[in-house]
Amino acid sequence: MTVLVLMRHGRTGFNAEGRLQGSLDVPLGDEGRADARAAAQALAREYGIPDRIVCSPLLRAADTAAELSAVTGVPAKPDARLTQRSYGAWEGLTWDEVRARWPEGYERRMRGLDPDIEGWGGAAEVAERVAEGLIAACEGARMAVVVSHGSAIMLGSLALLGLDVHSQVLGKLPHAHWNVLEGGPGRWSMVRYGHSAASSLAERLPEAD
């Protein structure tokens, strides 16, 4: 059995402004780097040293993974299959700008469907790509940590769990939070959802009298 930890990168300046990043290579902000460092320390305390750390090659994910490497001594290996989906013509815009210019596409996206815009990374295609990267990260590993992006993690997880890739059942994973899957090829289950440095610490604090 493999323990697969799926961690979302820390916040960027674009995240703070509510701008869509997609395939744009935006670095972590100071807050995001601090959150990534805290998450890395919490993961190491809780799970120990992973056999493998794999990340999206985009800066925000690679920099987040670097914080975990600094704590564990395990180098992070980039895998392009784990990169974020492309948001096409929407990249760099705020959701308000998207809604004003593409109202129908915006509504489809809010329902978990693919909008009909140039350059959009379709859910089925992205889910298959990311799932391949996740499976590769787990090969021969007792524990693997993957640092990626919100949509990529959601879509890859849905594919591994055998769920509809357009489903919104998993919700949105916050920045510098992680999910945990256990299992192996064709038999994955999610055992933790939306954990963070704060929740990890809270589980270790003694109960008040």
mmCIF file of all heavy atoms in Angstrom, residues 96-141:
data_model
loop_
_atom_site.group_PDB
_atom_site.id
_atom_site.type_symbol
_atom_site.label_atom_id
_atom_site.label_comp_id
_atom_site.label_asym_id
_atom_site.label_seq_id
_atom_site.Cartn_x
_atom_site.Cartn_y
_atom_site.Cartn_z
ATOM 1 N N ASP A 96 -14.449 38.311 -11.897
ATOM 2 C CA ASP A 96 -15.412 39.345 -12.291
ATOM 3 C C ASP A 96 -15.234 39.718 -13.763
ATOM 4 O O ASP A 96 -16.219 39.925 -14.491
ATOM 5 C CB ASP A 96 -15.245 40.592 -11.415
ATOM 6 C CG ASP A 96 -15.792 40.399 -10.013
ATOM 7 O OD1 ASP A 96 -16.593 39.456 -9.821
ATOM 8 O OD2 ASP A 96 -15.426 41.187 -9.127
ATOM 9 N N GLU A 97 -13.990 39.800 -14.211
ATOM 10 C CA GLU A 97 -13.729 40.101 -15.620
ATOM 11 C C GLU A 97 -14.198 38.959 -16.518
ATOM 12 O O GLU A 97 -14.752 39.194 -17.602
ATOM 13 C CB GLU A 97 -12.235 40.362 -15.818
ATOM 14 C CG GLU A 97 -11.767 41.678 -15.184
ATOM 15 C CD GLU A 97 -10.260 41.810 -15.148
ATOM 16 O OE1 GLU A 97 -9.554 40.765 -15.152
ATOM 17 O OE2 GLU A 97 -9.775 42.958 -15.107
ATOM 18 N N VAL A 98 -13.977 37.740 -16.076
ATOM 19 C CA VAL A 98 -14.436 36.577 -16.845
ATOM 20 C C VAL A 98 -15.954 36.577 -16.957
ATOM 21 O O VAL A 98 -16.523 36.374 -18.039
ATOM 22 C CB VAL A 98 -13.943 35.273 -16.186
ATOM 23 C CG1 VAL A 98 -14.658 34.062 -16.789
ATOM 24 C CG2 VAL A 98 -12.440 35.133 -16.333
ATOM 25 N N ARG A 99 -16.625 36.805 -15.846
ATOM 26 C CA ARG A 99 -18.097 36.789 -15.841
ATOM 27 C C ARG A 99 -18.666 37.865 -16.753
ATOM 28 O O ARG A 99 -19.675 37.647 -17.447
ATOM 29 C CB ARG A 99 -18.610 36.981 -14.414
ATOM 30 C CG ARG A 99 -20.131 36.970 -14.297
ATOM 31 C CD ARG A 99 -20.551 36.894 -12.844
ATOM 32 N NE ARG A 99 -19.884 37.905 -12.039
ATOM 33 C CZ ARG A 99 -19.948 37.954 -10.707
ATOM 34 N NH1 ARG A 99 -20.625 37.028 -10.054
ATOM 35 N NH2 ARG A 99 -19.340 38.909 -10.051
ATOM 36 N N ALA A 100 -18.012 39.037 -16.800
ATOM 37 C CA ALA A 100 -18.502 40.132 -17.639
ATOM 38 C C ALA A 100 -18.316 39.837 -19.123
ATOM 39 O O ALA A 100 -19.176 40.195 -19.944
ATOM 40 C CB ALA A 100 -17.784 41.429 -17.264
ATOM 41 N N ARG A 101 -17.226 39.175 -19.483
ATOM 42 C CA ARG A 101 -16.900 38.963 -20.896
ATOM 43 C C ARG A 101 -17.386 37.629 -21.438
ATOM 44 O O ARG A 101 -17.657 37.501 -22.639
ATOM 45 C CB ARG A 101 -15.388 39.096 -21.091
ATOM 46 C CG ARG A 101 -14.881 40.506 -20.803
ATOM 47 C CD ARG A 101 -13.367 40.578 -20.761
ATOM 48 N NE ARG A 101 -12.746 40.186 -22.017
ATOM 49 C CZ ARG A 101 -11.420 40.172 -22.210
ATOM 50 N NH1 ARG A 101 -10.609 40.541 -21.235
ATOM 51 N NH2 ARG A 101 -10.926 39.813 -23.375
ATOM 52 N N TRP A 102 -17.499 36.620 -20.572
ATOM 53 C CA TRP A 102 -17.944 35.287 -21.003
ATOM 54 C C TRP A 102 -19.016 34.769 -20.038
ATOM 55 O O TRP A 102 -18.786 33.800 -19.302
ATOM 56 C CB TRP A 102 -16.778 34.302 -21.009
ATOM 57 C CG TRP A 102 -15.728 34.537 -22.044
ATOM 58 C CD1 TRP A 102 -15.708 34.067 -23.335
ATOM 59 C CD2 TRP A 102 -14.493 35.255 -21.875
ATOM 60 N NE1 TRP A 102 -14.559 34.453 -23.972
ATOM 61 C CE2 TRP A 102 -13.785 35.190 -23.101
ATOM 62 C CE3 TRP A 102 -13.923 35.958 -20.806
ATOM 63 C CZ2 TRP A 102 -12.545 35.787 -23.285
ATOM 64 C CZ3 TRP A 102 -12.678 36.564 -20.995
ATOM 65 C CH2 TRP A 102 -12.014 36.479 -22.219
ATOM 66 N N PRO A 103 -20.182 35.393 -19.975
ATOM 67 C CA PRO A 103 -21.178 34.994 -18.976
ATOM 68 C C PRO A 103 -21.597 33.528 -19.079
ATOM 69 O O PRO A 103 -21.747 32.856 -18.045
ATOM 70 C CB PRO A 103 -22.350 35.935 -19.241
ATOM 71 C CG PRO A 103 -22.139 36.447 -20.625
ATOM 72 C CD PRO A 103 -20.659 36.506 -20.818
ATOM 73 N N GLU A 104 -21.777 33.025 -20.291
ATOM 74 C CA GLU A 104 -22.183 31.626 -20.438
ATOM 75 C C GLU A 104 -21.062 30.681 -20.031
ATOM 76 O O GLU A 104 -21.291 29.673 -19.348
ATOM 77 C CB GLU A 104 -22.622 31.358 -21.874
ATOM 78 C CG GLU A 104 -23.896 32.074 -22.272
ATOM 79 C CD GLU A 104 -24.343 31.715 -23.677
ATOM 80 O OE1 GLU A 104 -23.682 30.849 -24.312
ATOM 81 O OE2 GLU A 104 -25.335 32.289 -24.138
ATOM 82 N N GLY A 105 -19.839 31.005 -20.449
ATOM 83 C CA GLY A 105 -18.703 30.182 -20.062
ATOM 84 C C GLY A 105 -18.485 30.197 -18.563
ATOM 85 O O GLY A 105 -18.149 29.178 -17.956
ATOM 86 N N TYR A 106 -18.681 31.358 -17.952
ATOM 87 C CA TYR A 106 -18.538 31.485 -16.502
ATOM 88 C C TYR A 106 -19.546 30.585 -15.786
ATOM 89 O O TYR A 106 -19.184 29.878 -14.840
ATOM 90 C CB TYR A 106 -18.732 32.936 -16.092
ATOM 91 C CG TYR A 106 -18.750 33.168 -14.594
ATOM 92 C CD1 TYR A 106 -17.562 33.350 -13.893
ATOM 93 C CD2 TYR A 106 -19.955 33.207 -13.889
ATOM 94 C CE1 TYR A 106 -17.573 33.567 -12.521
ATOM 95 C CE2 TYR A 106 -19.969 33.422 -12.519
ATOM 96 C CZ TYR A 106 -18.787 33.598 -11.841
ATOM 97 O OH TYR A 106 -18.804 33.791 -10.484
ATOM 98 N N GLU A 107 -20.788 30.597 -16.238
ATOM 99 C CA GLU A 107 -21.822 29.778 -15.603
ATOM 100 C C GLU A 107 -21.509 28.298 -15.745
ATOM 101 O O GLU A 107 -21.715 27.510 -14.818
ATOM 102 C CB GLU A 107 -23.192 30.095 -16.206
ATOM 103 C CG GLU A 107 -23.736 31.466 -15.821
ATOM 104 C CD GLU A 107 -23.875 31.637 -14.319
ATOM 105 O OE1 GLU A 107 -24.215 30.644 -13.632
ATOM 106 O OE2 GLU A 107 -23.633 32.755 -13.826
ATOM 107 N N ARG A 108 -21.010 27.895 -16.911
ATOM 108 C CA ARG A 108 -20.628 26.493 -17.095
ATOM 109 C C ARG A 108 -19.509 26.123 -16.119
ATOM 110 O O ARG A 108 -19.541 25.043 -15.513
ATOM 111 C CB ARG A 108 -20.175 26.237 -18.532
ATOM 112 C CG ARG A 108 -21.310 26.167 -19.548
ATOM 113 C CD ARG A 108 -20.785 25.775 -20.927
ATOM 114 N NE ARG A 108 -20.131 24.468 -20.929
ATOM 115 C CZ ARG A 108 -20.774 23.317 -21.020
ATOM 116 N NH1 ARG A 108 -22.102 23.280 -21.095
ATOM 117 N NH2 ARG A 108 -20.099 22.168 -21.028
ATOM 118 N N ARG A 109 -18.530 26.986 -15.990
ATOM 119 C CA ARG A 109 -17.425 26.704 -15.087
ATOM 120 C C ARG A 109 -17.903 26.587 -13.648
ATOM 121 O O ARG A 109 -17.445 25.716 -12.894
ATOM 122 C CB ARG A 109 -16.368 27.809 -15.211
ATOM 123 C CG ARG A 109 -15.213 27.691 -14.229
ATOM 124 C CD ARG A 109 -14.486 26.392 -14.389
ATOM 125 N NE ARG A 109 -13.390 26.264 -13.439
ATOM 126 C CZ ARG A 109 -12.906 25.113 -13.010
ATOM 127 N NH1 ARG A 109 -13.416 23.965 -13.436
ATOM 128 N NH2 ARG A 109 -11.902 25.086 -12.157
ATOM 129 N N MET A 110 -18.829 27.434 -13.228
ATOM 130 C CA MET A 110 -19.348 27.377 -11.865
ATOM 131 C C MET A 110 -20.115 26.091 -11.597
ATOM 132 O O MET A 110 -20.272 25.676 -10.450
ATOM 133 C CB MET A 110 -20.251 28.594 -11.592
ATOM 134 C CG MET A 110 -19.515 29.938 -11.557
ATOM 135 S SD MET A 110 -18.192 30.024 -10.292
ATOM 136 C CE MET A 110 -16.711 29.837 -11.324
ATOM 137 N N ARG A 111 -20.572 25.435 -12.662
ATOM 138 C CA ARG A 111 -21.270 24.149 -12.523
ATOM 139 C C ARG A 111 -20.327 22.967 -12.727
ATOM 140 O O ARG A 111 -20.772 21.825 -12.781
ATOM 141 C CB ARG A 111 -22.432 24.075 -13.519
ATOM 142 C CG ARG A 111 -23.587 25.019 -13.169
ATOM 143 C CD ARG A 111 -24.785 24.808 -14.074
ATOM 144 N NE ARG A 111 -24.601 25.403 -15.387
ATOM 145 C CZ ARG A 111 -24.654 24.740 -16.540
ATOM 146 N NH1 ARG A 111 -24.864 23.433 -16.541
ATOM 147 N NH2 ARG A 111 -24.492 25.368 -17.687
ATOM 148 N N GLY A 112 -19.031 23.267 -12.818
ATOM 149 C CA GLY A 112 -18.046 22.200 -12.944
ATOM 150 C C GLY A 112 -17.857 21.694 -14.353
ATOM 151 O O GLY A 112 -17.193 20.669 -14.561
ATOM 152 N N LEU A 113 -18.399 22.400 -15.352
ATOM 153 C CA LEU A 113 -18.295 21.974 -16.738
ATOM 154 C C LEU A 113 -17.215 22.776 -17.463
ATOM 155 O O LEU A 113 -16.811 23.846 -17.010
ATOM 156 C CB LEU A 113 -19.646 22.153 -17.444
ATOM 157 C CG LEU A 113 -20.825 21.413 -16.807
ATOM 158 C CD1 LEU A 113 -22.121 21.763 -17.530
ATOM 159 C CD2 LEU A 113 -20.585 19.905 -16.816
ATOM 160 N N ASP A 114 -16.774 22.259 -18.593
ATOM 161 C CA ASP A 114 -15.754 22.946 -19.377
ATOM 162 C C ASP A 114 -16.392 24.060 -20.210
ATOM 163 O O ASP A 114 -17.322 23.802 -20.971
ATOM 164 C CB ASP A 114 -15.068 21.971 -20.337
ATOM 165 C CG ASP A 114 -14.228 20.935 -19.609
ATOM 166 O OD1 ASP A 114 -13.664 21.281 -18.558
ATOM 167 O OD2 ASP A 114 -14.131 19.798 -20.110
ATOM 168 N N PRO A 115 -15.899 25.289 -20.096
ATOM 169 C CA PRO A 115 -16.397 26.362 -20.956
ATOM 170 C C PRO A 115 -15.828 26.205 -22.372
ATOM 171 O O PRO A 115 -14.754 25.615 -22.546
ATOM 172 C CB PRO A 115 -15.858 27.632 -20.293
ATOM 173 C CG PRO A 115 -14.608 27.179 -19.621
ATOM 174 C CD PRO A 115 -14.870 25.781 -19.158
ATOM 175 N N ASP A 116 -16.535 26.730 -23.334
ATOM 176 C CA ASP A 116 -16.100 26.644 -24.729
ATOM 177 C C ASP A 116 -15.266 27.884 -25.066
ATOM 178 O O ASP A 116 -15.740 28.833 -25.682
ATOM 179 C CB ASP A 116 -17.311 26.542 -25.660
ATOM 180 C CG ASP A 116 -16.906 26.348 -27.109
ATOM 181 O OD1 ASP A 116 -15.727 25.992 -27.342
ATOM 182 O OD2 ASP A 116 -17.748 26.565 -27.998
ATOM 183 N N ILE A 117 -13.999 27.866 -24.624
ATOM 184 C CA ILE A 117 -13.103 28.979 -24.912
ATOM 185 C C ILE A 117 -11.783 28.427 -25.437
ATOM 186 O O ILE A 117 -11.403 27.283 -25.142
ATOM 187 C CB ILE A 117 -12.835 29.865 -23.673
ATOM 188 C CG1 ILE A 117 -12.115 29.070 -22.586
ATOM 189 C CG2 ILE A 117 -14.115 30.486 -23.152
ATOM 190 C CD1 ILE A 117 -11.553 29.928 -21.490
ATOM 191 N N GLU A 118 -11.086 29.244 -26.179
ATOM 192 C CA GLU A 118 -9.825 28.821 -26.787
ATOM 193 C C GLU A 118 -8.777 28.527 -25.711
ATOM 194 O O GLU A 118 -8.571 29.309 -24.792
ATOM 195 C CB GLU A 118 -9.314 29.912 -27.722
ATOM 196 C CG GLU A 118 -8.042 29.532 -28.464
ATOM 197 C CD GLU A 118 -7.582 30.630 -29.410
ATOM 198 O OE1 GLU A 118 -8.306 31.647 -29.534
ATOM 199 O OE2 GLU A 118 -6.512 30.459 -30.015
ATOM 200 N N GLY A 119 -8.125 27.389 -25.848
ATOM 201 C CA GLY A 119 -7.010 27.049 -24.974
ATOM 202 C C GLY A 119 -7.369 26.401 -23.658
ATOM 203 O O GLY A 119 -6.484 26.071 -22.870
ATOM 204 N N TRP A 120 -8.668 26.197 -23.387
ATOM 205 C CA TRP A 120 -9.074 25.613 -22.109
ATOM 206 C C TRP A 120 -8.637 24.160 -22.002
ATOM 207 O O TRP A 120 -8.807 23.383 -22.945
ATOM 208 C CB TRP A 120 -10.586 25.707 -21.957
ATOM 209 C CG TRP A 120 -11.100 25.136 -20.670
ATOM 210 C CD1 TRP A 120 -11.535 23.865 -20.459
ATOM 211 C CD2 TRP A 120 -11.226 25.803 -19.414
ATOM 212 N NE1 TRP A 120 -11.928 23.694 -19.148
ATOM 213 C CE2 TRP A 120 -11.742 24.880 -18.489
ATOM 214 C CE3 TRP A 120 -10.942 27.112 -18.998
ATOM 215 C CZ2 TRP A 120 -11.984 25.215 -17.168
ATOM 216 C CZ3 TRP A 120 -11.183 27.436 -17.665
ATOM 217 C CH2 TRP A 120 -11.700 26.501 -16.775
ATOM 218 N N GLY A 121 -8.097 23.769 -20.865
ATOM 219 C CA GLY A 121 -7.723 22.378 -20.617
ATOM 220 C C GLY A 121 -8.930 21.588 -20.149
ATOM 221 O O GLY A 121 -9.390 21.759 -19.023
ATOM 222 N N GLY A 122 -9.454 20.715 -20.989
ATOM 223 C CA GLY A 122 -10.654 19.954 -20.665
ATOM 224 C C GLY A 122 -10.462 19.018 -19.483
ATOM 225 O O GLY A 122 -9.375 18.461 -19.275
ATOM 226 N N ALA A 123 -11.527 18.825 -18.717
ATOM 227 C CA ALA A 123 -11.448 18.042 -17.483
ATOM 228 C C ALA A 123 -10.963 16.616 -17.729
ATOM 229 O O ALA A 123 -10.107 16.108 -17.006
ATOM 230 C CB ALA A 123 -12.808 18.031 -16.788
ATOM 231 N N ALA A 124 -11.523 15.944 -18.737
ATOM 232 C CA ALA A 124 -11.162 14.550 -18.981
ATOM 233 C C ALA A 124 -9.684 14.419 -19.341
ATOM 234 O O ALA A 124 -8.981 13.530 -18.833
ATOM 235 C CB ALA A 124 -12.036 13.970 -20.090
ATOM 236 N N GLU A 125 -9.215 15.304 -20.207
ATOM 237 C CA GLU A 125 -7.818 15.262 -20.644
ATOM 238 C C GLU A 125 -6.870 15.555 -19.483
ATOM 239 O O GLU A 125 -5.861 14.858 -19.289
ATOM 240 C CB GLU A 125 -7.606 16.284 -21.760
ATOM 241 C CG GLU A 125 -6.165 16.388 -22.239
ATOM 242 C CD GLU A 125 -5.969 17.495 -23.254
ATOM 243 O OE1 GLU A 125 -6.966 18.124 -23.667
ATOM 244 O OE2 GLU A 125 -4.810 17.742 -23.628
ATOM 245 N N VAL A 126 -7.190 16.580 -18.698
ATOM 246 C CA VAL A 126 -6.324 16.951 -17.574
ATOM 247 C C VAL A 126 -6.339 15.862 -16.509
ATOM 248 O O VAL A 126 -5.294 15.508 -15.943
ATOM 249 C CB VAL A 126 -6.749 18.309 -16.980
ATOM 250 C CG1 VAL A 126 -5.925 18.634 -15.736
ATOM 251 C CG2 VAL A 126 -6.602 19.417 -18.014
ATOM 252 N N ALA A 127 -7.503 15.297 -16.218
ATOM 253 C CA ALA A 127 -7.610 14.242 -15.210
ATOM 254 C C ALA A 127 -6.747 13.039 -15.590
ATOM 255 O O ALA A 127 -6.039 12.471 -14.741
ATOM 256 C CB ALA A 127 -9.067 13.817 -15.049
ATOM 257 N N GLU A 128 -6.795 12.655 -16.859
ATOM 258 C CA GLU A 128 -5.994 11.514 -17.311
ATOM 259 C C GLU A 128 -4.505 11.806 -17.191
ATOM 260 O O GLU A 128 -3.721 10.967 -16.719
ATOM 261 C CB GLU A 128 -6.348 11.181 -18.755
ATOM 262 C CG GLU A 128 -5.572 9.994 -19.319
ATOM 263 C CD GLU A 128 -5.950 9.659 -20.747
ATOM 264 O OE1 GLU A 128 -6.718 10.433 -21.360
ATOM 265 O OE2 GLU A 128 -5.470 8.632 -21.271
ATOM 266 N N ARG A 129 -4.111 13.002 -17.616
ATOM 267 C CA ARG A 129 -2.698 13.393 -17.545
ATOM 268 C C ARG A 129 -2.180 13.404 -16.113
ATOM 269 O O ARG A 129 -1.121 12.835 -15.813
ATOM 270 C CB ARG A 129 -2.518 14.770 -18.186
ATOM 271 C CG ARG A 129 -1.194 15.443 -17.834
ATOM 272 C CD ARG A 129 -0.953 16.715 -18.589
ATOM 273 N NE ARG A 129 -1.911 17.777 -18.399
ATOM 274 C CZ ARG A 129 -1.964 18.614 -17.376
ATOM 275 N NH1 ARG A 129 -1.135 18.457 -16.342
ATOM 276 N NH2 ARG A 129 -2.846 19.591 -17.332
ATOM 277 N N VAL A 130 -2.939 14.053 -15.219
ATOM 278 C CA VAL A 130 -2.490 14.165 -13.826
ATOM 279 C C VAL A 130 -2.486 12.794 -13.152
ATOM 280 O O VAL A 130 -1.552 12.463 -12.402
ATOM 281 C CB VAL A 130 -3.373 15.149 -13.045
ATOM 282 C CG1 VAL A 130 -2.973 15.182 -11.572
ATOM 283 C CG2 VAL A 130 -3.270 16.552 -13.643
ATOM 284 N N ALA A 131 -3.499 11.983 -13.416
ATOM 285 C CA ALA A 131 -3.545 10.645 -12.820
ATOM 286 C C ALA A 131 -2.321 9.828 -13.221
ATOM 287 O O ALA A 131 -1.753 9.090 -12.393
ATOM 288 C CB ALA A 131 -4.829 9.926 -13.238
ATOM 289 N N GLU A 132 -1.892 9.954 -14.465
ATOM 290 C CA GLU A 132 -0.682 9.258 -14.904
ATOM 291 C C GLU A 132 0.524 9.721 -14.092
ATOM 292 O O GLU A 132 1.368 8.910 -13.685
ATOM 293 C CB GLU A 132 -0.431 9.513 -16.387
ATOM 294 C CG GLU A 132 -1.410 8.801 -17.316
ATOM 295 C CD GLU A 132 -1.138 9.118 -18.767
ATOM 296 O OE1 GLU A 132 -0.227 9.947 -19.043
ATOM 297 O OE2 GLU A 132 -1.819 8.558 -19.638
ATOM 298 N N GLY A 133 0.606 11.021 -13.843
ATOM 299 C CA GLY A 133 1.700 11.549 -13.042
ATOM 300 C C GLY A 133 1.652 11.072 -11.601
ATOM 301 O O GLY A 133 2.690 10.756 -10.999
ATOM 302 N N LEU A 134 0.456 10.992 -11.041
ATOM 303 C CA LEU A 134 0.302 10.525 -9.662
ATOM 304 C C LEU A 134 0.699 9.065 -9.531
ATOM 305 O O LEU A 134 1.385 8.672 -8.573
ATOM 306 C CB LEU A 134 -1.141 10.719 -9.199
ATOM 307 C CG LEU A 134 -1.649 12.159 -9.138
ATOM 308 C CD1 LEU A 134 -3.100 12.189 -8.660
ATOM 309 C CD2 LEU A 134 -0.781 13.023 -8.233
ATOM 310 N N ILE A 135 0.269 8.253 -10.474
ATOM 311 C CA ILE A 135 0.607 6.830 -10.437
ATOM 312 C C ILE A 135 2.120 6.647 -10.570
ATOM 313 O O ILE A 135 2.733 5.837 -9.862
ATOM 314 C CB ILE A 135 -0.139 6.076 -11.540
ATOM 315 C CG1 ILE A 135 -1.643 6.045 -11.221
ATOM 316 C CG2 ILE A 135 0.392 4.650 -11.688
ATOM 317 C CD1 ILE A 135 -2.509 5.542 -12.349
ATOM 318 N N ALA A 136 2.739 7.417 -11.464
ATOM 319 C CA ALA A 136 4.191 7.326 -11.625
ATOM 320 C C ALA A 136 4.914 7.736 -10.351
ATOM 321 O O ALA A 136 5.927 7.135 -9.981
ATOM 322 C CB ALA A 136 4.631 8.214 -12.789
ATOM 323 N N ALA A 137 4.391 8.743 -9.653
ATOM 324 C CA ALA A 137 5.012 9.202 -8.412
ATOM 325 C C ALA A 137 4.989 8.126 -7.332
ATOM 326 O O ALA A 137 5.843 8.109 -6.445
ATOM 327 C CB ALA A 137 4.304 10.453 -7.907
ATOM 328 N N CYS A 138 4.020 7.233 -7.409
ATOM 329 C CA CYS A 138 3.846 6.216 -6.375
ATOM 330 C C CYS A 138 4.607 4.928 -6.639
ATOM 331 O O CYS A 138 4.714 4.084 -5.743
ATOM 332 C CB CYS A 138 2.359 5.878 -6.231
ATOM 333 S SG CYS A 138 1.366 7.219 -5.556
ATOM 334 N N GLU A 139 5.120 4.746 -7.838
ATOM 335 C CA GLU A 139 5.747 3.479 -8.202
ATOM 336 C C GLU A 139 6.909 3.143 -7.269
ATOM 337 O O GLU A 139 7.874 3.889 -7.164
ATOM 338 C CB GLU A 139 6.236 3.537 -9.647
ATOM 339 C CG GLU A 139 5.103 3.531 -10.663
ATOM 340 C CD GLU A 139 5.608 3.594 -12.089
ATOM 341 O OE1 GLU A 139 6.843 3.650 -12.280
ATOM 342 O OE2 GLU A 139 4.768 3.605 -13.010
ATOM 343 N N GLY A 140 6.774 2.021 -6.564
ATOM 344 C CA GLY A 140 7.819 1.551 -5.666
ATOM 345 C C GLY A 140 7.953 2.340 -4.382
ATOM 346 O O GLY A 140 8.912 2.129 -3.630
ATOM 347 N N ALA A 141 7.009 3.242 -4.106
ATOM 348 C CA ALA A 141 7.122 4.097 -2.926
ATOM 349 C C ALA A 141 6.147 3.670 -1.829
ATOM 350 O O ALA A 141 5.002 3.330 -2.116
ATOM 351 C CB ALA A 141 6.862 5.556 -3.295
#
